[in-house]
Amino acid sequence: MIKKRQIAIIACFMSLLTFAQEGTYHTIQDLEAWTSAEISYKPIKKVKITLQQQLRLKDDASNVDQYFTQFDLRYKLAKGLYITPAVRFIRDNDDQGKIQGYENHLRLQSDLIYKHDISRWSLQYRARYQTKQELQVEDDNINTFRLKVGAKYNIKNWKFDPKVGLEFFNRLGTENEWYKLRWTVGTKYSFKSAGDLGFYFRQEQDLVGAYEKTTNILFLKYGYTLKNKSK
């Protein structure tokens, strides 16, 4: 009888301890799948125009998170230096709270990019400012500053050159904090006359907040550049 009572007390204590820990520490993991298709055109030497369509799935790639259309224009300022303004129209799937459904968002962004080569390495640095707002909702702007560094290594006689990237996200405004980290590894295969196909794995980690969330992302990206026949 004593042993049974002791076991019951221990079991109850462990249950309360587990509940208390779950109430204090929250670890969330998710798998997302992103697919992207884009087409680019260079009307003149220093200008590149790109139209992109992307679909993102969440909840272990079982539900739509969002899909969007983006238009951007890259202009070459100097050797290795580019500026790229862009506009993105987003259909965001809000499945939380009392009011659920697809919301329309507009995101404006501008990138400052610098590229250079060191031996077989191609290095790229990007600073991005973006502002996002839900349409028909006033005073709902979300402003973000992002810093990214990326590298590609050219392997001789190999078409799947590896790429890596690391990016930090800063939420501007009253909080003004670095709230998310994203790293990427992958490769891209270029076809002779049918564009490029990229395969990437990404992971996002929350740096602040009441819980820790890690998101694993599988990203498939196809791109095609139209040739300027007048050249």
Side-chain angles (χ1 to χ4, degrees):
M1 179 66 67
I2 295 177
K3 290 184 178 180
K4 291 183 178 180
R5 187 174 299 175
Q6 290 174 340
I7 293 172
I9 292 173
I10 293 172
C12 182
F13 176 76
M14 293 299 293
S15 298
L16 291 173
L17 182 60
T18 302
F19 178 80
Q21 288 177 337
E22 290 179 350
T24 305
Y25 303 100
H26 301 269
T27 301
I28 299 176
Q29 291 190 350
D30 191 17
L31 173 66
E32 296 188 0
W34 298 2
T35 54
S36 172
E38 64 180 37
I39 186 169
S40 302
Y41 178 66
K42 297 183 69 173
I44 58 177
K45 187 176 181 180
K46 291 187 176 183
V47 176
K48 182 179 180 180
I49 302 170
T50 301
L51 180 65
Q52 178 187 173
Q53 186 70 37
Q54 188 172 139
L55 171 66
R56 297 181 177 181
L57 305 178
K58 61 180 179 179
D59 300 332
D60 293 331
S62 61
N63 295 317
V64 174
D65 181 26
Q66 63 176 243
Y67 59 91
F68 62 80
T69 301
Q70 177 172 307
F71 174 82
D72 60 67
L73 186 150
R74 189 184 73 179
Y75 180 77
K76 184 176 181 180
L77 298 172
K79 182 180 180 180
L81 186 62
Y82 305 85
I83 186 171
T84 307
V87 57
R88 177 182 296 186
F89 177 73
I90 306 168
R91 290 278 287 168
D92 187 83
N93 182 19
D94 182 5
D95 55 4
Q96 303 293 327
K98 295 182 179 179
I99 302 176
Q100 300 184 15
Y102 281 94
E103 301 171 346
N104 296 322
H105 294 257
L106 184 68
R107 194 176 96 177
L108 303 177
Q109 66 187 46
S110 183
D111 298 348
L112 185 63
I113 301 170
Y114 179 67
K115 300 179 180 180
H116 68 103
D117 296 334
I118 300 178
S119 185
R120 290 185 173 273
W121 289 95
S122 295
L123 304 178
Q124 176 176 304
Y125 316 92
R126 187 187 75 187
R128 170 179 291 179
Y129 171 78
Q130 65 185 46
T131 179
K132 178 182 175 183
Q133 181 179 18
E134 182 179 352
L135 298 179
Q136 300 178 343
V137 176
E138 296 182 357
D139 300 326
D140 190 40
N141 287 47
I142 300 176
N143 302 317
T144 306
F145 178 69
R146 298 161 58 171
L147 286 175
K148 181 180 180 180
V149 58
K152 181 178 73 171
Y153 185 74
N154 182 6
I155 301 176
K156 190 175 181 180
N157 299 324
W158 181 255
K159 294 185 177 181
F160 296 92
D161 293 338
K163 293 183 176 183
V164 295
L166 181 65
E167 186 171 13
F168 292 90
F169 294 68
N170 186 289
R171 185 183 293 109
L172 303 176
T174 56
E175 298 173 339
N176 193 24
E177 57 188 2
W178 298 96
Y179 70 96
K180 185 167 67 174
L181 165 69
R182 173 191 290 171
W183 60 266
T184 304
V185 295
T187 187
K188 181 176 71 173
Y189 182 83
S190 297
F191 302 93
K192 289 184 178 181
S193 58
D196 304 320
L197 188 62
F199 308 89
Y200 304 95
F201 174 78
R202 285 179 170 170
Q203 187 176 87
E204 293 183 348
Q205 296 178 341
D206 288 346
L207 302 178
V208 297
Y211 59 85
E212 177 184 347
K213 181 178 180 181
T214 299
T215 304
N216 298 310
I217 303 166
L218 301 177
F219 188 16
L220 179 66
K221 182 178 181 180
Y222 173 76
Y224 182 79
T225 300
L226 296 172
K227 294 182 180 181
N228 191 340
K229 296 181 179 181
S230 62
K231 292 182 179 181

